[in-house]
Amino acid sequence: MHTSVALLLELGVILAALSLLGTLARRLTLSPIPLYLLAGLAIGEGGIAPVPAAGPFVEAGAAIGVVLLLLALGLEFSLPEFAVGMRKRVPSALVDLVLNAAPGAVAGLLLGLDGVGVLALAGATYISSSGIVARLLADLRRLGNRETPAVLSVLVMEDCVMALYLPVLAVLASGGQWWQAVLSTLAAVGAVLAAATVSYRWGHHLGRLLAHPDAEQLMLRVLGLTLIVAALAELVHASAAVGAFLVGLTLTGETATRARAVLIPLRDLFAAVFFLAIGLSVDPDDLVPALPAALALAAVSSVTKVLTGRYAAARDGVGRRGRLRAGTALIARGEFSLVIVGLVGTAHGFLGPLVTAYVFILAILGPVLTRLVGAVPLGRSHPPRADAQEGAT
């Protein structure tokens, strides 16, 4: 077998650099995500050190990274509990849709985009990055916080909306008819409902089939099944993230505990590659003309996401600090927004650089704000006992 020296060298340098950046971020008690994104920008196309040999590996690894992030997140919860929570959070999902699609739609109209362009920009501002938020919650050790179920419900609802939205956008962007869009949407919805039903009714049998005393066998079984489910979800224009999350929810008890233990190192590796890949996909020269519009759009949609998170957490009875943490956690945009631009293609010349700049700004700003909000007290208006309880939520 021929070994590519360039591939090995580039990957080695990339992983060593990511290790140094991660160490620096943790010494500063920050999430490493912004530093990974900046590293991708520095070594990507138009950057100071391109990595052509490692590019295909990073692209494939990024897709696996999103799947592993959502699988690990699903392993933290049980499907019955999460299903009950989802039903009572439908109002939060509606508020999220209205507040966060509106800035993109209005901006599209002001920029003179056609109907498909307006629809695409509305979707780009609506959808948060499941991958970034999942890693952020883990990095900041907030998976056990009281506001976290509300945040996850918003993310999963958004991914379900994407199962309806992406087929419609793909058909309209390619010049297809309305009935084709309807058929694609029905197929996506049917697939998501079928996967959820199988997980809910027969999930315990699946856990027994995957369980194995050997850690290697358990990792191979869980990861193999997750990738298959994620691929089937993508095939019907649903979200690979939703598929991976459902697999994680299905596994409970000792199987879930052991699966988390064996998958965490793999998750961390490919998650770092995922954030690097977002930066790699950006050409710095394309960002400069779009920065003013992207900054304005980022400012408005950051506020609307904070309002969404506060509303969702307030419905769960979370305190003031927890509501603000929920809002800032949802700010980051990422993979889905870039997928939306890819579906529309080059027919809307300004849309691609605008959304790319917008995603990059919020992918960095979101984790930074989330970390700062968790570290800075909101004031002394609460008595000490209430503050202590709220900090634990």
Side-chain angles (χ1 to χ4, degrees):
M1 180 188 299
H2 175 69
T3 302
S4 171
V5 175
L7 172 62
L8 295 179
L9 180 61
E10 289 178 6
L11 283 178
V13 171
I14 286 173
L15 294 178
L18 292 178
S19 172
L20 291 174
L21 292 173
T23 301
L24 175 62
R26 283 172 172 79
R27 285 191 176 181
L28 297 174
T29 65
L30 293 171
S31 168
I33 293 171
L35 297 183
Y36 292 162
L37 292 167
L38 290 173
L41 185 65
I43 66 177
E45 184 179 351
I48 59 175
V51 284
F57 174 86
V58 171
E59 184 177 352
I64 297 173
V66 175
V67 168
L68 286 172
L69 281 167
L70 272 296
L71 169 64
L73 202 59
L75 288 170
E76 299 285 342
F77 302 91
S78 70
L79 187 59
E81 292 173 349
F82 199 79
V84 171
M86 288 286 285
R87 284 196 294 269
K88 73 176 184 179
R89 294 187 178 102
V90 171
S92 301
L94 295 176
V95 168
D96 181 30
L97 178 61
V98 172
L99 284 182
N100 295 291
V106 172
L109 292 172
L110 293 176
L111 292 170
L113 300 178
D114 61 14
V116 173
V118 170
L119 183 64
L121 192 52
T125 59
Y126 162 66
I127 183 74
S128 298
S129 171
S130 299
I132 294 178
V133 176
R135 177 58 188 267
L136 193 58
L137 293 175
D139 281 345
L140 299 178
R141 299 179 181 179
R142 295 184 184 175
L143 291 175
N145 284 17
R146 282 194 59 198
E147 76 273 7
T148 296
V151 172
L152 296 181
S153 295
V154 169
L155 292 176
V156 172
M157 288 286 195
E158 286 181 352
D159 283 353
C160 290
V161 170
M162 285 292 110
L164 307 177
Y165 168 86
L166 290 178
V168 173
L169 181 65
V171 171
L172 295 178
S174 64
Q177 301 297 317
W178 66 268
W179 59 268
Q180 294 173 308
V182 171
L183 288 178
S184 296
T185 301
L186 290 176
V189 173
V192 172
L193 291 177
T197 301
V198 169
S199 297
Y200 188 80
R201 291 184 176 274
W202 298 287
H204 56 289
H205 297 300
L206 180 63
R208 285 200 294 268
L209 287 173
L210 295 179
H212 196 279
D214 183 67
E216 178 186 358
Q217 283 296 315
L218 178 64
M219 179 188 69
L220 292 175
R221 292 180 182 188
V222 173
L223 183 57
L225 174 66
T226 302
L227 292 175
I228 291 171
V229 172
L232 292 175
E234 286 290 327
L235 185 65
V236 295
H237 302 290
S239 167
V242 169
F245 190 72
L246 284 173
V247 173
L249 287 176
T250 300
L251 301 178
T252 57
E254 184 183 356
T255 302
T257 302
R258 293 184 60 234
R260 280 196 300 271
V262 299
L263 288 171
I264 281 176
L266 203 60
R267 178 205 66 183
D268 291 345
L269 168 63
F270 283 101
V273 173
F274 162 67
F275 300 120
L276 181 80
I278 294 180
L280 280 172
S281 67
V282 177
D283 188 338
D285 293 336
D286 293 338
L287 300 184
V288 177
L291 275 179
L295 285 168
L297 194 57
V300 173
S301 56
S302 294
V303 173
T304 56
K305 276 295 181 185
V306 170
L307 293 175
T308 297
R310 286 176 62 88
Y311 176 79
R315 286 180 55 84
D316 282 7
V318 177
R320 279 202 313 155
R321 187 179 299 174
R323 294 198 295 267
L324 190 55
R325 286 197 302 259
T328 54
L330 291 169
I331 288 175
R333 310 307 203 274
E335 62 279 7
F336 265 127
S337 299
L338 298 175
V339 166
I340 289 168
V341 174
L343 286 176
V344 174
T346 58
H348 304 79
F350 185 67
L351 186 60
L354 171 62
V355 172
T356 302
Y358 168 79
V359 166
F360 202 77
I361 291 167
L362 292 185
I364 293 176
L365 181 65
V368 171
L369 287 178
T370 305
R371 171 65 182 85
L372 292 177
V373 163
V376 178
L378 296 183
R380 299 180 180 178
S381 58
H382 295 287
R385 180 177 176 81
D387 282 342
Q389 289 174 343
E390 216 170 17
T393 60

